[in-house]
Amino acid sequence: MLTLSGIPQNRIITVYAEEEIEFQGYLLSWDAGHTLLACVDRYGENDGFLLLHTDSLYRIDYDSLYEQKLETLYTEKKQSHDAPPLPGKNETLLQSVLSWVQWTHKLARFAFSDQEDLCGYIETIDPLQIRQMDLFTCQPGHSSACVIPENVDFIWIDNRQARDAELIFQARGETDV
Amino acid sequence: MYEQIQQACQMQTLVSLHQIGHTDDFFVGLIEGYNRHNILLYSLDPSGRAEAHILFPLCDLAEIVCQNPYLDKLRLLSSRYPQAPYLLGQKENLLEFLLQALHQTGVQFEVTFLNGTDRLLARVLEIRDEDLDLSIETDAGNASGIVRILKSQLHALLLPVNSPDLSAHIQRQEGSDV
């Protein structure tokens, strides 16, 4: 497993993980099961949070000209992330993040390697039940899905697409989606 | 194929190594070291001059050729230049041995990763059990970031042939291993 201690948490890093996952952002926290990243997109803007399996990480880059550029854009565009609280005692990072996503009613995308991604709001955590939303057309879904957290490759929370969808819901007056 | 490698290494036979998926692309040189996972080749350029010490995974190899007219030609050409291959032979910790040598001498080398095609110029900053930190440099030798990567994700290492420090270190270490 890749060593995460010593990776600067105040610098933008590029994370590479299995299933051709590649993201830029700030390393927020990690435990044996999961790693949480505050994502930054190619324009240096807040792109939500990414939770992925720690043992799927195989490479981390930092301090390259590209990451330095993103850091400058992030600062100059006055970007920030309202990070989730750190896990409590006897709580895993996964449990803590899922609780926060449910509590703050954030849209999340659940990505799988062997099936289509799921997007939606967390209804219950145990079992993990997702009320599905279509982020492309911004239509509320009519179904819920049960997800086994271990089978999810990554969970992308409150990214730009999700925030855009929420703007559309608000514009339509759909407050309780 | 493994026996062929052993024999070529012991006899210091000039060979060409053909990689899977790159049938037209091959390396010519002397096998300096090997184990069940990797092979270290003292690679020659088409004029017979030493080019690099290249470590790459054995599973990449499709074929080893020991005799053909091209090798005969290179044998003649290379005899005009001094050759200094490392004589490591069968070495179980070949990758670790070379990484430690690169770390302790601070010598710049080229590296490719399993999920990438680019050759990166690098120096070893730190080595841990499962991963290592590399300082990536531009062609001009300026720092261009740091990469932390699992050792299992390293594909090929290309070590310079013109580094007296590295050669001396490897020979010293090899001598002390014996």
Side-chain angles (χ1 to χ4, degrees), chain A residues 59-76:
Chain A
R59 172 179 168 185
I60 289 176
D61 294 7
Y62 59 95
D63 210 19
S64 76
L65 292 175
Y66 182 59
E67 285 123 12
Q68 288 172 20
K69 181 189 92 171
L70 291 183
E71 282 173 16
T72 306
L73 286 171
Y74 188 84
T75 306
E76 293 302 315

Side-chain angles (χ1 to χ4, degrees), chain A residues 2 7 36 41 52 61 69 76 79 93 96-97 101 111 160 166 175:
Chain A
L2 198 69
I7 296 288
L36 183 67
D41 69 10
L52 69 174
D61 294 7
K69 181 189 92 171
E76 293 302 315
Q79 297 292 295
L93 182 60
S96 146
V97 170
V101 172
R160 292 187 67 176
E166 279 172 341
T175 52

